[in-house]
Amino acid sequence: METTHVSSTTYNTPVFENANIGKSYKKLFMLLPLALLIVLCTGAIVAFHGYIAWMLGRPSIAPLSSNPMKAAGLAYDDIVFTSSDGGSTLEGWLIPAAGSDRSVIFSHGYGGNREELWVPFYSLAKELNKQNFNVLLFDYAYVGTDMSVTGGVREALELQGAIDFLKKIGTKHTYVWGFSMGAGTALQTALYSKDIEAMILDSTFLLEPDTLYHNIKNQVDLPRFPSLPLIRLFFPIMNGTSMNQIPYQDVKQKEYPIPILFIHGMKDSKAPYDIAQSIYENQSAPNTDLWLLPEGRHELIYKANKKEYVKRTMAFFNTAAARQP
């Protein structure tokens, strides 16, 4: 009798392989919270810088609290005009000087309006009116509207709109008095405008990468990288204008054909005085001057030395006017 041998196949359970897979899944589940935390932190950082870019374009601005008559006894007219490209509508005040064909436009700074009480505009307007200058005070379009600050790109067209308005009503000689970013805007306008005959620039601020980071760091201690690149990335998304559109390099290199009086405080924490000084050093027009105050602070030069401030500024404009036919 033959014995039949039935062969059996033994299957080995891949114990070690299963164990490794289990460890991999365990590590994966342990890493998931960390990965989620990294994603959330990255998102928060990106969102925070986007918020900064959004806020930069929309400064908090106090409403008007007075007018030229109430504040300084100056008769005035309410005026409305458009930017030179027709893209925005501006409101302001015109303070006339009887029979005068020469006018000074005040170009207010970031976060300010046609009053700028801390400068103060009313007092300076009164001094100019005594010297027989018409005075135009106006709000840039980002004041009281849903428009955002563009660092002078759109504002330069709005300042030119103010100049065009004055020409239409009979002004033959136009001068600009700019403060902070309003001074930077005046410099941008004068790159192409042939209508400005002289400028006073107080506490000149140019929105360029270095000054942008300098001001942000004064408020929030952020590292230059990645904060500055992120804010520059979000600025056009939030505000419709890229910082690359701001011609700050052209301004810093330009030799303007008109007299400019630069006024700056050496303790200015918002706009380092060396920028104004470097622009001044490129100038050669007669009557151009630089007045640096060792203890001066941003837009507070008048309050620091009222008599000297009025003396220098009125003399500058009168000299500029005397040179005109």
Side-chain angles (χ1 to χ4, degrees), residues 35-285:
L36 181 60
L37 180 62
I38 292 172
V39 170
L40 289 174
C41 287
T42 302
I45 290 170
V46 170
F48 175 67
H49 287 87
Y51 176 72
I52 291 176
W54 188 87
M55 289 295 293
L56 283 170
R58 295 160 182 81
S60 176
I61 302 171
L64 295 174
S65 63
S66 189
N67 61 54
M69 177 57 74
K70 290 180 181 178
L74 296 168
Y76 71 97
D77 296 315
D78 290 309
I79 59 171
V80 177
F81 58 92
T82 62
S83 57
S84 60
D85 68 341
S88 50
T89 300
L90 300 312
E91 296 181 356
W93 298 316
L94 177 64
I95 303 169
S100 178
D101 63 357
R102 53 186 190 172
S103 302
V104 176
I105 302 172
F106 279 47
S107 176
H108 70 76
Y110 177 85
N113 56 27
R114 72 184 92 160
E115 286 186 317
E116 286 217 9
L117 299 174
W118 57 90
V119 169
F121 277 8
Y122 290 126
S123 297
L124 297 180
K126 191 167 187 176
E127 294 293 340
L128 283 168
N129 207 238
K130 289 179 184 177
Q131 304 297 321
N132 203 38
F133 287 93
N134 305 299
V135 179
L136 192 155
L137 302 158
F138 77 101
D139 294 336
Y140 282 109
Y142 65 80
V143 178
T145 71
D146 58 358
M147 290 187 171
S148 60
V149 175
T150 65
V153 176
R154 188 185 61 246
E155 291 83 359
L157 300 175
E158 294 169 353
L159 180 54
Q160 182 62 47
I163 296 169
D164 294 342
F165 171 83
L166 286 174
K167 288 170 65 178
K168 288 177 183 177
I169 64 171
T171 289
K172 294 181 179 178
H173 307 290
T174 303
Y175 314 95
V176 175
W177 199 338
F179 299 80
S180 189
M181 190 178 287
T185 295
L187 286 167
Q188 291 182 54
T189 307
L191 284 174
Y192 60 83
S193 179
K194 305 300 183 184
D195 302 310
I196 303 172
E197 296 183 6
M199 300 191 294
I200 295 178
L201 305 178
D202 184 324
S203 306
T204 302
F205 179 95
L206 278 175
L207 187 58
E208 59 174 344
D210 287 343
T211 49
L212 173 63
Y213 177 67
H214 174 80
N215 279 270
I216 291 171
K217 192 170 176 62
N218 282 343
Q219 302 298 321
V220 185
D221 191 14
L222 295 173
R224 187 179 181 91
F225 183 86
S227 291
L228 185 57
L230 281 173
I231 292 168
R232 293 191 67 179
L233 172 68
F234 279 110
F235 196 85
I237 298 172
M238 299 297 181
N239 304 310
T241 302
S242 168
M243 287 188 64
N244 293 330
Q245 294 175 255
I246 302 170
Y248 55 85
Q249 292 291 4
D250 293 339
V251 167
K252 291 166 72 173
Q253 297 168 8
K254 173 77 172 178
E255 181 180 351
Y256 292 90
I258 58 175
I260 303 174
L261 172 58
F262 295 89
I263 302 174
H264 220 101
M266 298 180 75
K267 289 191 175 180
D268 192 324
S269 63
K270 296 180 180 179
Y273 74 90
D274 57 337
I275 293 177
Q277 188 171 35
S278 66
I279 297 172
Y280 163 73
E281 289 171 354
N282 291 332
Q283 310 310 311
S284 60

